[in-house]
């Protein structure tokens, strides 16, 4: 039986009224990550993303020391966990959408999820998230896309926009391998923290990478593909629709090593 996550709001255990509000009103931003040995890879990027999202959605950021204090309170000394930090406001509603202020903070603490395994098969779907630059809580479209893909016999969904450009997956970014280079798709998407950490590590190692428009018709150019997010630094994608990649597991493994080369930042 799955263990329910612990929920904290503004540094205290969440109550029934708090959770009822969250269940009935779907407006906010989030970020999530693994705590390892008391630290987080790319914590500064996660906090920066929350800061940008808070300003975009609520007009005011949440102080970083407040976020860190609440994370430490929720962890209660634990050094291994999965944290999801959500920003919301009890003041903002359909009748009062113009409220401006620092949002409230909800933190979920649970056991770290297992990384996705290699061998992912994807179904392409024409879909674009609303406000794709934000990691927001409006997830119906993502879950519906994953559900459609699973019911069709695939593992997950890969999104293309109306112009046919590959953008991102349901819960992750995608990268392609062409020779010794990593190719990132150029389209509107969420720039993930795992993706940013891999990019930084590739630059530091002097490994070639570039960003360009990639369409489904371009897939035969690539030797391999991988997905990445904070739970899965790199998992090999073996197929998109009916196209099977030749495969390059050694390169995919090195991508994961690049992510793991990033230091864990103290909370």
């Amino acid at each position: 039986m799955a263990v329910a996550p612990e929920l904290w709001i503004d540094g205290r255990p969440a109550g029934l009224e708090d959770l009822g509000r969250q269940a009935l009103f779907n407006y906010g931003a989030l970020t999530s990550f693994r705590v390892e040995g008391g630290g987080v890879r790319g914590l500064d990027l996660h906090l920066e993303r929350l800061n940008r999202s808070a300003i975009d959605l609520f007009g005011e950021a949440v102080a970083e020391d407040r976020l860190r204090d609440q994370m430490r309170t929720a962890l209660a000394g634990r050094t291994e966990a999965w944290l999801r930090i959500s920003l919301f406001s009890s003041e903002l509603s359909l009748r009062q959408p113009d409220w401006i202020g620092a949002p409230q903070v909800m933190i979920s603490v649970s056991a770290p999820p297992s990384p996705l395994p290699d061998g992912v098969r994807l179904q392409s779907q024409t879909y674009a998230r609303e406000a794709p630059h934000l990691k927001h809580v409006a997830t119906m479209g993502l879950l519906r896309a994953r559900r459609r893909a699973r019911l069709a016999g695939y593992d997950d969904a890969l999104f293309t926009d109306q112009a046919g450009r590959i953008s991102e997956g349901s819960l992750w970014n995608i990268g392609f391998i062409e020779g010794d280079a990593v190719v990132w798709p150029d389209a509107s998407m969420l720039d993930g923290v795992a993706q940013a950490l891999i990019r930084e590590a590739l630059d530091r190692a002097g490994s070639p990478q570039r960003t360009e428009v990639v369409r489904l018709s371009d897939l035969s150019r690539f030797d391999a593909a991988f997905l990445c997010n904070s739970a899965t630094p790199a998992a090999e994608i073996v197929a998109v629709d009916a196209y099977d990649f030749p495969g390059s597991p050694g390169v995919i493994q090195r991508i994961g090593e690049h992510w793991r080369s990033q230091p864990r930042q103290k909370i």
Side-chain angles (χ1 to χ4, degrees), residues 162-182:
Q162 293 293 336
R165 297 173 298 186
I166 291 173
S167 56
E168 59 187 337
S170 63
L171 301 170
W172 36 263
N173 292 109
I174 187 170
F176 300 93
I177 306 298
E178 186 175 19
D180 60 351
V182 174

Side-chain angles (χ1 to χ4, degrees), residues 63-77:
E64 182 174 324
D65 58 352
R66 175 184 163 199
L67 285 171
R68 288 179 180 271
D69 285 345
Q70 292 191 33
M71 282 189 280
R72 289 191 290 265
T73 296
L75 283 168

Side-chain angles (χ1 to χ4, degrees), residues 100-114:
I100 294 176
Q104 295 164 262
V105 179
M106 181 170 75
I107 297 180
S108 165
V109 187
S110 58
S114 300

Side-chain angles (χ1 to χ4, degrees), residues 8-9 23 30 35 45 62 67 76 115 150 152 179 188 202 226-227 244:
W8 297 73
I9 291 181
L30 67 105
V35 179
L45 300 179
V62 180
L67 285 171
R150 293 284 185 90
S188 295
L202 288 170
F226 65 94
L227 62 81
D244 294 328

Side-chain angles (χ1 to χ4, degrees), residues 3 21 28 38 43 57 66 95 109 119 131 138 141 155 184 189 199 201 205 210 215 239 243 250 253 261 265:
V3 178
R21 170 72 181 181
L43 179 60
L57 294 175
R66 175 184 163 199
R95 292 195 174 191
V109 187
D155 297 304
W184 304 100
M189 69 181 79
R199 282 179 181 268
R210 62 183 186 273
R215 293 183 167 85
Y243 179 75
Q253 183 178 352
S261 73
Q265 301 170 352

